[in-house]
Amino acid sequence: MSDVLAPARLGPLTLRNRVIKAATFEGRTPEALVTDELVEFHREVAAGGVGMTTVAYCAVAPGGRTDRHQIWMRPEAVPGLRRLTDAVHAEGAAISAQLGHAGPVANAKSNRAPALAPSRMFNPLGMRFTKVPDALGIAEVVAAHARAARLAREAGFDAVEVHLGHNYLASAFLSPMLNRRKDDYGGALVNRARVAREVVRAVRDAVGDTIAVTAKLTMEDGVRGGFSIEESVQVAAWLQEDGALDALELTAGSSLLNPMAIFRGDAPRKNFAKVLPIPARWGLQLVGKQFLREYPYRPAYLLDKARRFREELSLPLILLGGITDLATAEQARAEGFDFVAMGRALLREPDLINRWHTDATTRSLCTHCNECMPSIYTTTHCILRTPAAT
């Protein structure tokens, strides 16, 4: 058996293999609560063979959602989340909740709550300026992460993933372009990293060693003047030193400023514009090529950058980006990465991992067209799957 497909430890967990379904917003929670459709989405990928699936995403506060249709962690959400975790466990997989605060990526108009950012900026999603939290406001966000983690444990999750990427709130604090503060949370990197470290520590303190705690960290924003790989390696080293994480998942890009650096492949500008509300639609039509840039797709496209982290860290690492066949996953293992995370390939074929067991040469049918990206505003899905399989 391939080492990728063999059981592996993740903190207090033993996963049945080293493949994690990455967090990809599902678009199946219109009332900000679990639905039958969300349960089936994760049950299907669990039945398809992954070691763990990740629910994306569970906001720690109502204003921390990218829009009001996302789950936010509160007692009313727990019964539905328990039904979801039970369904995944019944298929033999583990389940993680991605916890975070969207910060400047939040749609303030939709949420009917101010979008937070480390410094004042115009929020194009809500068409209004962000609110800048003071030290007390930051402490409230940190405490909200701890409460959300306790609720996740109560709901039966095996792990939580703390979102430190893509210019969501903690990531925005890391960015020297977005964080122009003069207090203890701005300026030098050690100050800009304070929110990320405080949040991770609070989450670990909230759950102890009862469930696994991972984090998703941006290696670089892909924006001039943004968070660099050199800074990210240092932040990762501090997170390792703090000792609160069981693994770190490495990502790239900015949902706010450069989303295609996360995905690679075709940029679905036309269909993205169709689903955006006016005036955001007009804005995308005007600056679409600058916002949705095209980066060529290649297997393991984040591996080159991720090697820098593997060289510097002993912390278990999760490689994301361009893992679509067993050979590429095995390459990641050979280079010292403990787990691989997959997103689009599992939208296309939720049973891909099971088919790796029977035929190691099986390759994903994903074409990297990225037309799944605009579908997040309805129900996230691969447009190439037949209606019966959707």
Side-chain angles (χ1 to χ4, degrees), residues 202-347:
V203 167
R204 172 58 79 188
D205 288 346
V207 300
D209 294 326
T210 58
I211 63 175
V213 177
T214 70
K216 190 172 200 172
L217 178 68
T218 293
M219 294 185 287
E220 62 179 8
D221 292 341
V223 180
R224 182 177 298 178
F227 189 51
S228 69
I229 191 167
E230 291 77 17
E231 289 187 323
S232 186
V233 169
Q234 178 60 72
V235 171
W238 285 332
L239 290 169
Q240 175 177 280
E241 179 183 319
D242 292 344
L245 290 177
D246 293 307
L248 187 65
E249 182 176 309
L250 300 170
T251 186
S254 163
S255 296
L256 186 68
L257 301 168
N258 188 6
M260 290 308 299
I262 307 167
F263 296 100
R264 310 297 170 90
D266 299 338
R269 300 184 189 103
K270 182 181 295 185
N271 285 334
F272 228 125
K274 288 180 181 178
V275 299
L276 289 176
I278 295 173
R281 182 185 309 173
W282 297 338
L284 184 61
Q285 290 170 344
L286 286 173
V287 299
K289 288 188 177 181
Q290 290 74 37
F291 178 64
L292 291 179
R293 310 171 196 176
E294 286 206 5
Y295 294 90
Y297 176 88
R298 69 176 189 276
Y301 54 80
L302 294 181
L303 178 57
D304 288 346
K305 292 181 175 63
R307 287 187 179 111
R308 296 272 299 272
F309 293 77
R310 186 67 292 164
E311 290 167 0
E312 298 291 333
L313 305 173
S314 59
L315 182 69
L317 297 179
I318 305 167
L319 183 67
L320 172 71
I323 311 294
T324 59
D325 58 39
L326 183 56
T328 305
E330 288 176 333
Q331 178 190 1
R333 280 292 298 136
E335 298 207 26
F337 293 88
D338 301 83
F339 300 89
V340 295
M342 300 172 62
R344 289 166 293 176
L346 294 174
L347 290 180

Side-chain angles (χ1 to χ4, degrees), residues 119-138:
S119 302
R120 182 175 165 84
M121 60 174 285
F122 186 70
N123 172 242
L125 297 170
M127 300 302 293
R128 56 198 68 185
F129 283 92
T130 57
K131 177 182 178 181
V132 179
D134 57 14
L136 180 59
I138 292 171

